[in-house]
Amino acid sequence: MFLRGVLSGKRRLSTQQFTRNLCGSTKPCGLPPTLKSVISSGVSGSEVQITGWVRSVRLQKRIAFAEVADGSTVRGIQVIMDDPQIASSLTTGSSVEITGKLADSPGREQSKEVQATSIRVIGPSDPGSYPLQKKRHSLEFLREIGHLRPRSQTISAITRLRDSAEMALHAFFHKNEFVRIHTPTLTSNDCEGGGETFNVTAPANENPGGFFGRKVNLTVSGQLHLEVFTGAFKRVYTLNPAFRAEPSQTGRHLSEFWMVEGECAFVDKVSTLLDVEEEMVRSTTQYLSKNAASDLDFFLKNNEKLTQLIKRLTSPEQYARISYTDAINILQQADARAKFVYKPQWGHDLQSEHERYLATTHFNGPVFVTDYPAAIKPFYMLPNPDGRTVACMDLLVPGPCELLGGSLRDHDYERLKGRVESLGYEDGSLDWYVNLRKFGTTPHGGFGMGFERYLQMITGLESVRDIISFPRYTGKCQY
């Protein structure tokens, strides 16, 4: 009855009430409190015990200061020690347990501080070799110490934003009655047809065809498997890792990344997909602005362009929408001023410089580009009546440029079968996919968004290598 009441909305519980009902306590199942909860819920004058890692220590003759963080807040909490002697064992990087009195802080950047009465060092840290100091470290340096960089303010803030963004995406999909599907990592198909896949091998065995009896690779997309489920569910989505053996060294590419993908049955208009994609981006960004404001503000500080982009993303005003043909016309007219390295030409794919001009200079915000030439797009996209283009879209944004892409899927059995055969796919390898069109097919479509690219956009960071916990790219697979 309790659960039924919660789900029906008759009982609206706060996080603490929900935790108390599940665990019998306002603490998260008996775990020590985070600094976030101490700062937000603690009463000034009360005794508290905090745990975390020392970010900095400053000793004076009659007083000592330390900043302690535990990953739950941007700035941690300041600890004041009236007797500098109790701080003698503190070093940057050490893990500690501190008991003291919680007090209002006179500082502008924090609301609470701890006046310590006792300190216990749990895990000491050698100050001579600990690489993270109070000074500002470059993101390039932090990549070289990936096992310690989560303790930096920047990576800590990104990690929390990543967690919050995932929660927001799940909330959006569930609100719109999508069902999450766990698509496979191991697959026998190359969804995009680009051949940039990692092949999977196994120790030698008696099967001459290998462990699986056929060629298997790491997935580049869960789209084809999601389409299987759109034959039984109207709306499905996945948030899964994807892999691409693309030898790129740009800040927009990774060999291992996460994709948000959705597929919708009974959809026959590109405009419907655009509405879904736009609301997904808008609602996720609104959620972060409300529920992860301090982490988002960490990146927005002194960055007016990024601040304006967040406002545009969360605005109810519709994102700009143009066709590929219109985009080429805009770029050709701008060529004399922009001096593009690659001349914009109908029938050729848009280069990064073209996407950047459209999103950053011409529209100064998000813009959908639709109806690309069929010759430069994958086999599964639905042809338009003009016979030259397909019913597809890309969403271009300042920063990572291409944020997401999608299309209506070709649901004509004979046409799709002929297309697959003409491209020379392994005999029968996509029969299962094509055969979906024989048994109760529907007009349908979907999209995929790079999760790291979304976070790159809202943080303004130049490289997705600083967005993911352990970046993998050509020449680099440490840890």
Side-chain angles (χ1 to χ4, degrees), residues 306-419:
L306 188 58
T307 300
Q308 291 304 315
L309 174 60
I310 297 299
K311 289 181 179 179
R312 178 67 189 92
L313 292 171
T314 56
S315 167
E317 180 184 352
Q318 187 181 81
Y319 298 172
R321 301 180 179 188
I322 61 171
S323 69
Y324 166 88
T325 300
D326 290 338
I328 292 295
N329 291 335
I330 292 171
L331 293 167
Q332 289 177 339
Q333 293 172 15
D335 191 24
R337 300 187 309 275
K339 293 181 171 56
F340 297 121
V341 174
Y342 298 93
K343 300 304 177 184
Q345 188 175 351
W346 203 98
H348 292 208
D349 211 349
L350 298 182
Q351 301 296 317
S352 295
E353 59 178 339
H354 303 149
E355 295 174 341
R356 189 175 302 110
Y357 178 86
L358 290 170
T360 305
T361 303
H362 189 84
F363 289 99
N364 193 27
V367 51
F368 283 105
V369 180
T370 64
D371 305 308
Y372 283 73
I376 62 174
K377 287 298 182 180
F379 71 93
Y380 50 73
M381 293 188 175
L382 180 69
N384 280 324
D386 62 15
R388 303 172 68 208
T389 63
V390 287
C392 67
M393 85 296 292
D394 285 341
L395 176 57
L396 309 181
V397 295
C401 296
E402 182 189 337
L403 177 62
L404 61 80
S407 75
L408 296 180
R409 317 308 191 189
D410 195 347
H411 55 279
D412 183 281
Y413 172 75
E414 293 296 340
R415 185 171 55 207
L416 185 61
K417 183 174 181 289
R419 178 73 172 144

Side-chain angles (χ1 to χ4, degrees), residues 127-436:
S129 59
Y130 184 67
L132 285 172
Q133 302 301 323
K134 191 174 183 179
K135 67 178 183 178
R136 182 179 180 85
H137 296 289
S138 70
L139 293 172
E140 291 78 11
F141 171 76
L142 292 176
R143 284 181 219 142
E144 297 302 314
I145 53 168
H147 58 304
L148 293 173
R149 74 173 186 164
R151 298 190 188 186
S152 69
Q153 280 190 312
T154 301
I155 303 302
S156 178
I158 290 170
T159 303
R160 287 187 298 273
L161 277 176
R162 190 180 178 103
D163 176 61
S164 296
E166 182 171 343
M167 292 176 64
L169 286 165
H170 288 310
F172 166 79
F173 283 116
H174 290 157
K175 177 184 176 182
N176 289 281
E177 299 184 83
F178 283 71
V179 176
R180 186 182 184 183
I181 306 299
H182 295 134
T183 54
T185 298
L186 298 178
T187 178
S188 57
N189 71 75
D190 172 9
C191 176
E192 297 296 328
E196 297 169 335
T197 60
F198 287 101
N199 295 330
V200 175
T201 61
N205 59 75
E206 297 179 359
N207 189 339
F211 187 87
F212 292 102
R214 66 187 308 165
K215 179 183 174 182
V216 169
N217 49 263
L218 297 180
T219 183
V220 297
S221 169
Q223 176 202 318
L224 303 191
H225 297 101
L226 283 181
E227 285 192 61
V228 170
F229 277 84
T230 55
F233 296 80
K234 279 188 176 180
R235 293 183 279 276
V236 293
Y237 81 104
T238 188
L239 176 54
N240 272 9
F243 308 85
R244 186 161 294 176
E246 185 176 9
S248 173
Q249 290 289 353
T250 73
R252 298 191 304 139
H253 296 91
L254 290 166
S255 296
E256 179 184 10
F257 51 96
W258 287 72
M259 286 288 291
V260 183
E261 300 178 87
E263 292 287 327
C264 309
F266 300 98
V267 170
D268 60 2
K269 293 183 177 65
V270 168
S271 59
T272 302
L273 289 180
L274 298 184
D275 292 342
V276 173
E277 294 158 355
E278 180 174 322
E279 188 54 34
M280 176 186 72
V281 173
R282 178 183 291 111
S283 67
T284 300
T285 311
Q286 287 173 338
Y287 180 95
L288 296 181
S289 299
K290 180 179 180 181
N291 297 284
S294 58
D295 291 310
L296 196 56
D297 287 345
F298 178 83
F299 297 98
L300 298 182
K301 188 177 182 180
N302 301 322
N303 191 331
E304 183 59 27
K305 285 186 177 181
L306 188 58
T307 300
Q308 291 304 315
L309 174 60
I310 297 299
K311 289 181 179 179
R312 178 67 189 92
L313 292 171
T314 56
S315 167
E317 180 184 352
Q318 187 181 81
Y319 298 172
R321 301 180 179 188
I322 61 171
S323 69
Y324 166 88
T325 300
D326 290 338
I328 292 295
N329 291 335
I330 292 171
L331 293 167
Q332 289 177 339
Q333 293 172 15
D335 191 24
R337 300 187 309 275
K339 293 181 171 56
F340 297 121
V341 174
Y342 298 93
K343 300 304 177 184
Q345 188 175 351
W346 203 98
H348 292 208
D349 211 349
L350 298 182
Q351 301 296 317
S352 295
E353 59 178 339
H354 303 149
E355 295 174 341
R356 189 175 302 110
Y357 178 86
L358 290 170
T360 305
T361 303
H362 189 84
F363 289 99
N364 193 27
V367 51
F368 283 105
V369 180
T370 64
D371 305 308
Y372 283 73
I376 62 174
K377 287 298 182 180
F379 71 93
Y380 50 73
M381 293 188 175
L382 180 69
N384 280 324
D386 62 15
R388 303 172 68 208
T389 63
V390 287
C392 67
M393 85 296 292
D394 285 341
L395 176 57
L396 309 181
V397 295
C401 296
E402 182 189 337
L403 177 62
L404 61 80
S407 75
L408 296 180
R409 317 308 191 189
D410 195 347
H411 55 279
D412 183 281
Y413 172 75
E414 293 296 340
R415 185 171 55 207
L416 185 61
K417 183 174 181 289
R419 178 73 172 144
V420 169
E421 290 174 351
S422 70
L423 291 173
Y425 279 87
E426 291 183 28
D427 186 35
S429 64
L430 285 176
D431 282 355
W432 62 273
Y433 177 72
V434 176
N435 284 347
L436 291 172

Side-chain angles (χ1 to χ4, degrees), residues 12-78:
R12 299 187 180 276
L13 304 182
S14 68
T15 301
Q16 284 192 340
Q17 289 172 324
F18 190 70
T19 302
R20 183 185 297 114
N21 278 296
L22 291 180
C23 304
S25 167
T26 57
K27 293 181 180 180
C29 298
L31 297 171
T34 63
L35 292 180
K36 179 180 180 180
S37 65
V38 169
I39 293 170
S40 62
S41 304
V43 178
S44 295
S46 63
E47 185 175 280
V48 294
Q49 186 177 81
I50 64 171
T51 51
W53 294 268
V54 177
R55 274 187 178 163
S56 64
V57 182
R58 182 159 51 96
L59 298 174
Q60 297 180 358
K61 287 185 177 180
R62 298 182 178 178
I63 197 170
F65 302 90
E67 182 185 356
V68 175
D70 70 350
S72 64
T73 61
V74 174
R75 301 194 180 279
I77 194 168
Q78 179 171 261

